[in-house]
Amino acid sequence: MDRARQAEPTMPVAAVARRLGVAPATLRTWDRRYGLGPSRHTGGKHRRYGATDISRLELMQRALLRGASTAEAARFALDAAITDGPAETRPARADPDRSVARRLRGAAFALDAAATQRLLAAAIADAGAGAAWETVIEPVLTAFGAGWHGTHAGAEAEYLLTESVLAALIRATPLLEQPRNSRPVLLSTVPDERSALPLYALAACLAERGISAQVFGTAPPAEVLAVAVRRSAPAAVVLRAQRSTMADGGLFPRVSRGRQRSRVFAWGPGWGGAALPDKVELLPDLREAAERIEYVLLGR
């Protein structure tokens, strides 16, 4: 510990409790259960709170005021401390993607829309849409989706994150003045499927490769989708199914009729156990899916 840090002012538990407006017993409980206690030692047995310790507690208190449970608020405060704290509190070899993901989760959890959007924009600009989706965005979305265990606690943060991701992916998908493909790629979820964000991520990946796409984020009924394919004559059609209960292989013959035949792809975990027609190809993960579409359409 350097001398400058040793010289920082510290506070006993009673003073910190008064500052935060909680009982000293509450601070001791947070220390015992979640590790949010004082990290500084005096000459005796008593520990004292430093500036970093108090900042973590203030972050936790803000999360509690926004409706988080005590455990969720403690996780948020600890994650924020790892990514934003002084150098000596950070892991020596932090995973950059994990660090960005923690910051993104923390910003969304705190309902900080501006910070959430800045982090998303920076992640996509630094790594590209595909890598940002697979290493940062999708893991955070999955954690939010699985984290509330059927309750509504924290659901507002998931809504904010979802809308922010959608906006970031649309901004990362420029309108191509001279796309490499003469006819667009049509991307759609299957009817009644609600998970459309991966399609916008795929559209952004294709745009990075100079390939234009049309996204139906709101899944049209089967008959409307079939008409759209016949009228637009896309170079390829990608149908996304997240849930197996929504995956219907009977959709593919309906969208492949007409004079101008399109290459048809199935994409998403929902198709894993479905019977697909012979000419329908199952696409792999996001970046590999973009590579395969590029190869099929352009040969490279």
Side-chain angles (χ1 to χ4, degrees):
M1 185 183 297
D2 58 44
R3 293 183 179 179
R5 187 162 184 259
Q6 285 180 329
E8 288 179 0
T10 59
M11 298 175 67
V13 62
V16 175
R18 285 194 299 272
R19 175 169 173 164
L20 298 178
V22 300
T26 299
L27 292 183
R28 294 189 182 97
T29 299
W30 291 355
D31 181 12
R32 185 175 63 255
R33 291 184 180 178
Y34 309 114
L36 284 164
S39 59
R40 306 291 295 278
H41 292 263
T42 63
K45 296 182 179 179
H46 297 289
R47 294 190 300 161
R48 296 173 66 89
Y49 290 83
T52 300
D53 303 324
I54 296 170
S55 294
R56 288 190 307 185
L57 292 171
E58 289 172 342
L59 285 172
M60 180 173 180
Q61 194 170 48
R62 284 201 292 273
L64 288 170
L65 291 173
R66 292 183 183 275
S69 71
T70 307
E72 291 164 348
R75 269 199 312 273
F76 165 61
L78 289 168
D79 285 348
I82 289 173
T83 56
D84 296 325
E88 64 269 18
T89 67
R90 298 176 196 159
R93 295 185 178 181
D95 183 343
D97 294 330
R98 180 175 292 184
S99 173
V100 175
R102 282 177 171 169
R103 288 174 179 268
L104 180 60
R105 181 180 181 275
F109 196 81
L111 296 183
D112 190 337
T116 301
Q117 292 165 10
R118 284 196 297 269
L119 286 164
L120 287 167
I124 293 172
D126 290 346
W133 173 265
E134 291 181 346
T135 62
V136 175
I137 299 172
E138 187 177 35
V140 175
L141 286 169
T142 300
F144 266 99
W148 313 124
H149 304 292
T151 72
H152 294 294
E156 70 284 356
E158 185 179 0
Y159 276 98
L160 181 145
L161 178 62
T162 299
E163 292 299 319
S164 298
V165 169
L166 175 60
L169 291 173
I170 290 175
R171 286 195 298 268
T173 310
L175 182 63
L176 301 175
E177 294 185 3
Q178 294 183 324
R180 296 166 62 201
N181 50 320
S182 58
R183 294 182 290 136
V185 178
L186 192 149
L187 312 176
S188 178
T189 55
V190 298
D192 299 320
E193 181 62 82
R194 297 189 297 271
S195 180
L197 285 180
L199 290 179
Y200 288 95
L202 180 56
C205 281
L206 292 173
E208 290 174 346
R209 298 167 182 271
I211 298 172
S212 65
Q214 169 65 53
V215 181
F216 285 169
T218 301
E223 58 272 15
V224 174
L225 181 60
V227 170
V229 172
R230 287 199 298 270
R231 292 191 60 190
S232 63
V237 178
V238 178
L239 297 184
R240 169 84 184 184
Q242 185 72 21
R243 297 170 292 170
S244 59
T245 53
M246 298 293 105
D248 179 8
L251 284 171
F252 294 105
R254 301 184 68 173
V255 301
S256 60
R257 295 171 184 166
R259 295 179 182 178
Q260 189 88 40
R261 293 299 179 92
S262 306
R263 286 294 298 265
V264 183
F265 298 94
W267 188 42
W271 296 113
L276 300 176
D278 292 338
K279 294 184 178 180
V280 175
E281 182 177 347
L282 182 63
L283 291 173
D285 293 340
L286 177 65
R287 282 184 283 182
E288 293 181 31
E291 290 174 2
R292 179 58 182 164
I293 292 171
E294 180 184 28
Y295 179 80
V296 169
L297 266 59
L298 304 170
R300 57 187 182 279

